[in-house]
Amino acid sequence: MSILSLSLSPFPNPSLSHLSSHAPFRIQSLHPSSSMTLLKPLHHHLRRRLSISAAAAVRQDTNLWTTAPLVTVSPAAESLFHVTIDVSDYPDLATSHTKAGQYLQLRLPDVEKPSFLAIASPPSLAAAKGVFEFLVKSISGSTAELLCGLQKGDVVELSQVMGKGFDLDQISPAEEYQTVVIFATGSGISPIRSLIEAGFGADKRSDVRLYYGARNLKRMAYQDRFENWASSGVKVVPVLSQPDDAWTGEDGYVQAAFARAKNIFNPQSTGAVLCGQKQMAEEVTSLLVADGVSTEKILKNF
């Protein structure tokens, strides 16, 4: 179980039945037909273009939720979207993101059920620019789908930052853990991006590999960042489960690609980071433990 973005599958699945929306604005009834005429456009307005002040009036639990505007919503890959949220007016929230792998809850002003998102940007970005960035998987009928349909200026509500993140102390100092193998599938690359761009010392290690799995290249986000990741010391190994005929790289699943390569020379100085499908995480863990890597050195963000 790993924290992804809005696909929900890598997160714990706690009951959220106790979280409910507050009542919308109360409209004084003038006449049955006129009140219905007023309600329809107002409901649409609340869903699509609520201002921050209006949202604050709707929500009373401001000690738990922060209302913040969207900066960008743009395609990242097939069914995946880049989402940037402005938290510059809330420095305590921005600086509460201290470790790669942390996450939060997001809800829309008139949608009852919140969703979990792993923060894709490194902690330094929130501190410097006052934004959180996410990689969101749009799932039909979900809050994620509604979020990906919003526009710049629309507002959402954020919980406080949660989770312990990746415990890098377990694979530090870098000089003593020269091999770090990283595994991500689908939108599980989101907190891995945060890890890599937060600077976990890949340039001080001799062997850092990222096995990143997706169905095909159209489903693979952050391809434009691979070159920068490589320059920081991370060897990116894309693995496609359903590639086209032109693909000459690794195919199948990331755990199989890793099993073919292995190349763990000293398990005592090896660490791993996992984020993605449960089966992948379990099989990779089994492979690493069989090679002598301590379970304490296999990091997950939950």
Side-chain angles (χ1 to χ4, degrees):
M1 183 170 64
S2 301
I3 299 297
L4 301 184
S5 55
L6 268 174
S7 64
L8 296 181
S9 58
F11 287 105
N13 189 23
S15 171
L16 298 176
S17 60
H18 64 288
L19 294 172
S20 61
S21 299
H22 290 272
F25 291 114
R26 183 174 298 170
I27 299 179
Q28 185 175 2
S29 179
L30 301 174
H31 184 274
S33 60
S34 62
S35 62
M36 290 302 295
T37 302
L38 286 170
L39 272 172
K40 187 173 180 180
L42 181 58
H43 181 271
H44 177 75
H45 178 68
L46 285 171
R47 176 177 292 275
R48 300 293 297 169
R49 304 296 296 174
L50 251 169
S51 68
I52 293 178
S53 59
V58 173
R59 298 294 188 185
Q60 301 300 318
D61 48 349
T62 53
N63 59 318
L64 298 176
W65 296 90
T66 298
T67 302
L70 295 174
V71 178
T72 58
V73 178
S74 61
E78 188 176 286
S79 77
L80 295 172
F81 289 80
H82 296 295
V83 175
T84 304
I85 299 176
D86 182 0
V87 294
S88 59
D89 286 339
Y90 309 98
D92 289 345
L93 177 61
T95 57
S96 68
H97 181 210
T98 59
K99 285 187 177 182
Q102 289 181 303
Y103 58 96
L104 48 67
Q105 292 184 75
L106 176 147
R107 68 184 184 186
L108 304 184
D110 58 343
V111 177
E112 180 177 345
K113 187 176 182 180
S115 291
F116 290 86
L117 302 84
I119 302 173
S121 48
S124 59
L125 188 67
K129 296 187 177 182
V131 296
F132 287 152
E133 295 181 349
F134 304 92
L135 181 67
V136 181
K137 183 175 182 179
S138 178
I139 300 174
S140 179
S142 70
T143 300
E145 183 181 37
L146 293 175
L147 173 62
C148 295
L150 296 181
Q151 303 172 17
K152 179 179 180 180
D154 289 332
V155 299
V156 296
E157 295 177 338
L158 305 178
S159 73
Q160 293 297 303
V161 174
M162 305 173 177
K164 65 179 183 178
F166 297 116
D167 187 4
L168 296 181
D169 289 343
Q170 295 295 322
I171 56 172
S172 298
E175 293 77 10
E176 296 181 13
Y177 294 91
Q178 285 293 295
T179 297
V180 175
V181 281
I182 307 170
F183 302 87
T185 55
S187 55
I189 194 64
S190 179
I192 298 301
R193 176 203 152 190
S194 181
L195 173 75
I196 294 172
E197 296 182 6
F200 77 108
D203 59 334
K204 299 177 182 177
R205 307 175 197 263
S206 60
D207 179 21
V208 178
R209 283 170 274 157
L210 165 61
Y211 291 89
Y212 176 15
R215 180 178 300 177
N216 51 51
L217 286 176
K218 292 181 180 179
R219 294 287 187 99
M220 184 166 279
Y222 296 144
Q223 293 180 52
D224 58 333
R225 295 179 177 270
F226 288 177
E227 185 176 347
N228 287 337
W229 292 356
S231 66
S232 73
V234 179
K235 179 183 178 181
V236 182
V237 183
V239 185
L240 305 182
S241 61
Q242 297 180 21
D244 60 27
D245 294 338
W247 179 247
T248 59
E250 293 284 349
D251 58 12
Y253 297 107
V254 294
Q255 54 268 42
F258 171 65
R260 290 191 292 267
K262 283 287 185 70
N263 296 332
I264 292 180
F265 301 107
N266 183 358
Q268 303 304 316
S269 62
T270 296
V273 184
L274 281 65
C275 191
Q277 298 169 340
K278 181 179 179 181
Q279 181 179 351
M280 178 276 286
E282 291 175 346
E283 293 183 10
V284 167
T285 298
S286 296
L287 289 169
L288 292 168
V289 171
D291 279 343
V293 178
S294 169
T295 56
E296 294 180 352
K297 311 303 178 185
I298 303 174
L299 310 184
K300 303 173 185 178
N301 61 330
F302 60 87

